[in-house]
Amino acid sequence: QEDKMKERGLERIHRIQYGIDLDKSYWNEDYPPKEIKIGYVGRIKRWKRFQQVALACQELGYKLIFMGRRDDDEYWKEIVQAMGGEEKMNKTIEFHMNEPEEKMHDVYKQMTVYVGNSWEGRETGTIPFLDALAIGVPVLTTLAGLAKDIIRDGENAVVLEFNNPQPDSKEWEVANK
C-alpha cells in the first residue's frame, strides 16, 4: 500500500497499525443511557486487571458490560471466586463474547463509561478506548500503550493511576455524572 501512496505523491504518509474507521463509528445521540453501565472491552488477562474493575462495579452496584474473550482460565476462576461465584458474578457482568464488528457499536452505546485498566508496559494498543471516544462514551483509562500519546487527563478522558481502582476513588465518580 505504501507504494501506491508514493505513486499518488503521498510519500510522507505512512500506514500505521492502530486506528479506527470513523465511517463505521457514529456519535451516540442517546447518551447517557438510563442505567449506569461500565464498559470493558478486550481480553481477560491478569495484566489487563479485569478483576479489579469487576469487583469495583460489584461493590458500587454498577452493571459491567464485558465485550471480548477469556484467554486465561486460571485467572477466570480467581475472578469467579472473588465475586462470590458465578451466580453473583452474572448479576454484575453482562457478557458480549465474540460480537461481530457490526454489533460492537451497539454495545458501546449501552456504556455510560468505558474503563481501560492495563498495567504499565504491557499494552501497545488499545483500540477500544478510541472506539469509545469516537462514539462519545467518556473514558477512564490508565496511560498504557498509545493512550499516553492521545489521552489528556480531564480533557478527553480521566486517567486512572497504575494501581487497583478503588470503588471510592474520585475517578469512579464520573460514572455518576
Side-chain angles (χ1 to χ4, degrees):
Q1 278 190 334
E2 287 188 27
D3 289 338
K4 289 181 183 179
M5 288 191 279
K6 285 180 184 176
E7 288 172 13
R8 295 182 183 156
L10 303 172
E11 54 273 330
R12 294 185 64 186
I13 297 175
H14 298 279
R15 194 176 77 152
I16 60 172
Q17 180 177 356
Y18 299 110
I20 60 172
D21 185 347
L22 290 176
D23 291 334
K24 292 183 179 179
S25 296
Y26 54 90
W27 193 257
N28 183 2
E29 299 293 335
D30 299 325
Y31 186 85
K34 291 179 174 65
E35 178 185 358
I36 293 175
K37 291 186 177 184
I38 307 302
Y40 180 98
V41 179
R43 296 173 294 145
I44 297 180
K45 292 238 180 230
R46 187 174 308 279
W47 57 271
K48 287 183 167 276
R49 300 182 324 163
F50 176 79
Q51 180 174 338
Q52 288 84 349
V53 175
L55 290 171
C57 287
Q58 186 178 48
E59 187 171 326
L60 292 166
Y62 295 157
K63 197 70 159 162
L64 173 60
I65 297 172
F66 168 72
M67 184 166 51
R69 69 177 196 259
R70 284 187 351 222
D71 284 356
D72 183 335
D73 288 335
E74 288 304 311
Y75 182 50
W76 182 252
K77 290 174 188 172
E78 290 174 31
I79 294 168
V80 171
Q81 182 178 6
M83 294 188 78
E86 285 205 33
E87 188 175 326
K88 286 184 178 180
M89 180 184 66
N90 289 332
K91 288 180 181 176
T92 298
I93 303 173
E94 179 182 310
F95 292 94
H96 295 270
M97 307 290 255
N98 303 312
E99 288 286 352
E101 186 178 348
E102 61 272 7
K103 298 218 179 213
M104 290 174 69
H105 288 101
D106 292 333
V107 177
Y108 277 103
K109 279 183 68 172
Q110 298 172 40
M111 297 176 187
T112 310
V113 174
Y114 167 81
V115 176
N117 196 38
S118 292
W119 286 344
E120 185 172 19
R122 292 300 307 257
E123 193 75 72
T124 57
T126 72
I127 299 300
F129 85 83
L130 294 174
D131 284 325
L133 288 172
I135 291 170
V137 176
V139 171
L140 284 163
T141 187
T142 59
L143 292 178
L146 71 102
K148 65 181 155 266
D149 297 324
I150 295 171
I151 297 299
R152 301 293 174 259
D153 192 19
E155 291 179 32
N156 59 358
V158 174
V159 173
L160 293 171
E161 296 298 320
F162 287 114
N163 58 19
N164 296 347
Q166 298 300 315
D168 59 347
S169 73
K170 66 177 178 57
E171 291 91 357
W172 283 92
E173 291 176 14
V174 74
N176 285 315
K177 296 182 179 180

